[in-house]
Amino acid sequence: MCLKFPAGGNSGLRDSIHSNSRSVMDYNVSIDFIRSPFLVQEWKFMSKAGIRRETLRLDMIQSSSVKYQDADIIIFNTGHWWTHQKTYKGDSYFQEGNHVYDKLEVRDAFSKALRTWAQWVDSNINTTQTMVFFRGYSASHFKGGQWNSGGSCDGETQPIANDTYLSPYPWMMRTLESVIQTMKTPVHFLNITRMTDYRKDGHPSVFGQTEEFRRPGMVQDCSHWCLPGVPDSWNELLYAILVSSQK
């Protein structure tokens, strides 16, 4: 069996943390993690002024797709990279064909990218051989700003117990759900958004550094998750679906 994760961060696959591509062989199973933060292709070109520029090709699936289209199981994921400043501002960053948008709202860009992904899946995946999953967007818990503007989540030792403190359901997941509904390929949606929203205590925060290197105001990691921890539940959900599909 071949199980592959084309995804951004937070894969939940322990052997693949901080790697672009990693294979793990055991029990006659190969598992690959393939880094693809946006699922569509990051692009570089020379402008008329001779300046090297970066764009995101919303109309082109990332070239790494050739590495996983014949897998038995594919688990897609994208999300957090769409909230980064360059992406979210959308100024002269998004491209379709030869056209670079002077300004494009990130919601529109995300929708275009997911439709490109959906068209690629419908055209290239053999559903008699391959099961397709899409794992949703996991919550972050910055307080007082984002990761680069004073946001923090250290000192959290308990999950959220009162639902009124949960965040609104992300627009990205509503967009994903609407795209999946238009596809001819069956896609198993692993919706982990709400379950992660409860776990404000599950992030590395400042504790990714040893105590001697921690400093007031240091950047905190509240977008990723401690291992073992929350991502283990994602793997259990995946396992439950795989087991039930064999019955």
Side-chain angles (χ1 to χ4, degrees):
M1 177 181 289
C2 184
L3 173 65
K4 303 200 177 187
F5 297 76
N10 310 339
S11 72
L13 180 63
R14 300 187 188 199
D15 302 85
S16 302
I17 301 302
H18 301 309
S19 66
N20 287 338
S21 181
R22 179 78 63 85
S23 293
V24 183
M25 290 294 297
D26 206 352
Y27 301 101
N28 199 30
V29 175
S30 68
I31 302 176
D32 287 352
F33 173 80
I34 300 164
R35 186 175 179 272
S36 181
F38 300 103
L39 298 182
V40 291
Q41 183 69 49
E42 295 175 277
W43 197 257
K44 294 183 180 180
F45 71 100
M46 298 296 291
S47 69
K48 293 180 180 178
I51 300 174
R52 189 174 181 83
R53 296 179 54 185
E54 294 183 352
T55 62
L56 194 63
R57 285 292 301 267
L58 303 176
D59 57 341
M60 183 183 296
I61 197 75
Q62 188 163 350
S63 58
S64 60
S65 60
V66 298
K67 297 180 180 179
Y68 56 75
Q69 69 183 61
D70 60 344
D72 298 293
I73 299 164
I74 312 176
I75 305 172
F76 293 95
N77 162 246
T78 189
H80 281 279
W81 281 63
W82 291 90
T83 67
H84 290 191
Q85 185 176 14
K86 179 171 64 175
T87 313
Y88 204 82
K89 287 175 64 177
D91 296 339
S92 300
Y93 182 59
F94 298 119
Q95 179 177 353
E96 287 187 284
N98 293 322
H99 177 66
V100 178
Y101 291 91
D102 293 333
K103 177 70 175 180
L104 183 65
E105 294 296 328
V106 69
R107 293 183 182 227
D108 295 330
F110 184 72
S111 178
K112 288 176 179 291
L114 280 186
R115 294 187 187 284
T116 295
W117 162 80
Q119 291 169 5
W120 180 87
V121 170
D122 281 344
S123 299
N124 292 275
I125 298 302
N126 180 355
T127 56
T128 63
Q129 171 187 317
T130 302
M131 290 183 67
V132 178
F133 291 80
F134 201 113
R135 186 179 54 73
Y137 177 86
S138 67
S140 58
H141 295 89
F142 292 103
K143 296 181 300 184
Q146 288 300 307
W147 68 273
N148 58 352
S149 58
S152 65
C153 64
D154 62 307
E156 298 291 351
T157 59
Q158 297 292 326
I160 292 175
N162 187 334
D163 285 6
T164 59
Y165 293 107
L166 297 176
S167 302
Y169 192 58
W171 62 266
M172 283 185 286
M173 292 301 93
R174 296 193 188 281
T175 301
L176 172 63
E177 289 175 5
S178 66
V179 169
I180 289 177
Q181 289 174 1
T182 68
M183 298 173 65
K184 68 179 182 181
T185 304
V187 177
H188 300 272
F189 179 28
L190 299 175
N191 191 346
I192 49 87
T193 300
R194 178 53 64 93
M195 66 179 289
T196 58
D197 203 4
Y198 287 98
R199 292 300 307 275
K200 61 184 174 65
D201 58 320
H203 301 291
S205 182
V206 297
F207 304 105
Q209 296 284 348
T210 58
E211 190 169 359
E212 62 180 306
F213 291 108
R214 295 175 201 160
R215 299 288 185 272
M218 70 180 295
V219 171
Q220 300 198 25
D221 188 352
C222 313
S223 297
H224 293 87
W225 300 91
C226 298
L227 289 174
V230 172
D232 292 308
S233 298
W234 311 345
N235 293 335
E236 290 174 5
L237 290 173
L238 172 64
Y239 177 72
I241 294 174
L242 293 178
V243 170
S244 63
S245 70
Q246 301 302 313
K247 294 181 180 179

